[in-house]
Amino acid sequence: MNTSTEIPSEQEQQDFYKKLRAKLESFLTSKSGKKSKFTQYLMFVPDLFHLLIKTLTDPKIDKKSRTLIGASIAYFIMPIDFLPEGFLGFGGYLDDLVIATFVVDTVMNKLGSDVIEKHWTGDEKLLNVLQKIAEVSDKVTNKIPVKSVLAQFIKHESKGDK
């Protein structure tokens, strides 16, 4: 993976997606995966990652939203973050899931749900997925300072639009 601040290449993103889906499917069929209280949410991780990738390439997405989406993709791929997967296993994807949900919701509120929903390939309706994640995300986001950083970025960027 490249180490600069650039968005990972499409090949790196696809490789990450395939590896993540395979690992997650294996975990979810394991004894500990079946007992995890977050299993139903972790199943959305690969689909949200895929949604971010596809949305990033959509010409209807403005530059500021692309930057936000690209940053969330990079956060998924970074080996060290607030809840590192290397230490926590799949529980480490909870922060990635919350950030992805926050970004998708922000972009949908700015550009409309149609622009985002056309890229969704998950089994459930996207808005239902976002709502399910939002129901538990406050528990996770209270421990993640990145949410406030993203909120400040969005607030600053939206002032620039006026």
Side-chain angles (χ1 to χ4, degrees):
M1 185 170 87
N2 74 43
T3 57
S4 69
T5 58
E6 296 176 16
I7 297 170
S9 71
E10 187 169 339
Q11 184 61 48
E12 288 171 322
Q13 294 169 19
Q14 289 297 326
D15 290 348
F16 178 81
Y17 173 76
K18 288 176 185 174
K19 288 177 190 175
L20 177 59
R21 180 163 290 285
K23 287 180 185 179
L24 183 58
E25 287 172 355
S26 175
F27 171 74
L28 294 176
T29 59
S30 73
K31 187 176 180 179
S32 59
K34 289 178 182 177
K35 290 182 180 180
S36 173
K37 63 181 177 180
F38 296 111
T39 298
Q40 66 175 327
Y41 304 104
L42 292 173
M43 293 176 65
F44 300 129
V45 171
D47 294 329
L48 278 169
F49 182 78
H50 183 260
L51 175 67
L52 291 169
I53 291 171
K54 293 302 179 189
T55 304
L56 186 66
T57 61
D58 188 327
K60 292 182 180 177
I61 305 297
D62 63 281
K63 187 175 180 178
K64 291 176 184 176
S65 295
R66 282 181 204 259
T67 301
L68 189 59
I69 293 166
S72 66
I73 291 170
Y75 190 83
F76 256 104
I77 295 174
M78 286 174 30
I80 302 294
D81 54 28
F82 290 102
L83 297 175
E85 294 80 32
F87 297 120
L88 301 173
F90 281 98
Y93 282 108
L94 291 174
D95 61 333
D96 304 68
L97 183 64
V98 169
I99 289 171
T101 301
F102 178 77
V103 169
V104 169
D105 187 55
T106 300
V107 174
M108 280 178 50
N109 286 333
K110 182 177 182 181
L111 303 175
S113 61
D114 294 347
V115 174
I116 304 297
E117 285 180 337
K118 69 181 178 184
H119 299 294
W120 177 246
T121 58
D123 294 333
E124 290 186 45
K125 189 171 178 170
L126 177 59
L127 293 176
N128 293 344
V129 169
L130 296 176
Q131 183 177 6
K132 283 181 182 182
I133 296 168
E135 289 173 3
V136 297
S137 69
D138 282 342
K139 295 175 188 174
V140 177
T141 56
N142 289 336
K143 299 173 184 166
I144 304 173
V146 170
K147 182 180 178 191
S148 62
V149 171
L150 283 171
Q152 289 299 320
F153 172 79
I154 292 163
K155 184 177 179 181
H156 173 74
E157 292 301 317
S158 64
K159 285 181 182 178
D161 289 341
K162 294 178 181 175

